[in-house]
Amino acid sequence: MATPRPLRFSVVLWWTVAILLLLQAGLMWSGRAELVQQLAVQQQLPPADAAGRAQQMILANTGIAVVLAAAYLGFGVALFKRHSWARIGLSAFALLHLVLVLGSGAVFSVHTILLVLGGTAAVLLWRAQSTEWLTGER
């Protein structure tokens, strides 16, 4: 039996979130010089310290983005293979992502878009059609 439409849409939305996370990380690398300047001005750091702090921030954000994107992509593939455990894993990673975004206080337009996409994907993931298909009832 074919994958139900809500589950397909959910996985595509999760994969979109993964791609946006990776794009956002790439943009941080390309805007590294601006981040160094912002840190130097806002935190009154010497240029060398600002550069080191910017490097730390970019590496940490890139690492988190890669882990989350890999989880979203991997769990999406597992869902298409009809592994019901992947839904719980995906939900746990989405909750972790939500806590990270809200805990950082960085609710910018990109984060808002990611939250809307993730919220929509989570609702579709737990719809009755998706549940029935994943549990083998359909």
Side-chain angles (χ1 to χ4, degrees):
M1 173 167 225
T3 310
R5 184 173 288 183
L7 186 62
R8 282 194 315 257
F9 286 158
S10 176
V11 171
V12 168
L13 288 174
W14 287 120
W15 288 350
T16 303
V17 168
I19 291 167
L20 288 174
L21 282 169
L22 295 174
L23 284 173
Q24 183 183 21
L27 289 173
M28 283 188 70
W29 282 98
S30 68
R32 184 177 183 278
E34 293 171 12
L35 181 59
V36 170
Q37 288 176 345
Q38 284 178 347
L39 288 173
V41 170
Q42 290 175 354
Q43 297 183 4
Q44 300 176 350
L45 296 173
D49 291 345
R53 177 82 173 126
Q55 184 76 10
Q56 263 183 333
M57 289 174 65
I58 291 172
L59 285 173
N61 286 328
T62 301
I64 291 168
V66 167
V67 168
L68 288 171
Y72 291 145
L73 293 169
F75 284 127
V77 169
L79 285 169
F80 278 138
K81 291 182 178 181
R82 213 169 183 169
H83 297 294
S84 60
W85 55 264
R87 181 168 61 166
I88 295 168
L90 184 57
S91 298
F93 264 88
L95 219 66
L96 172 69
H97 190 182
L98 177 66
V99 168
L100 287 172
V101 169
L102 295 177
S104 71
V107 184
F108 301 114
S109 59
V110 173
H111 293 293
T112 303
I113 291 168
L114 292 176
L115 290 174
V116 169
L117 290 174
T120 304
V123 168
L124 293 171
L125 185 62
W126 288 92
R127 296 268 321 252
Q129 288 175 311
S130 300
T131 299
E132 290 169 359
W133 187 79
L134 285 169
T135 59
E137 295 174 24
R138 267 177 89 194

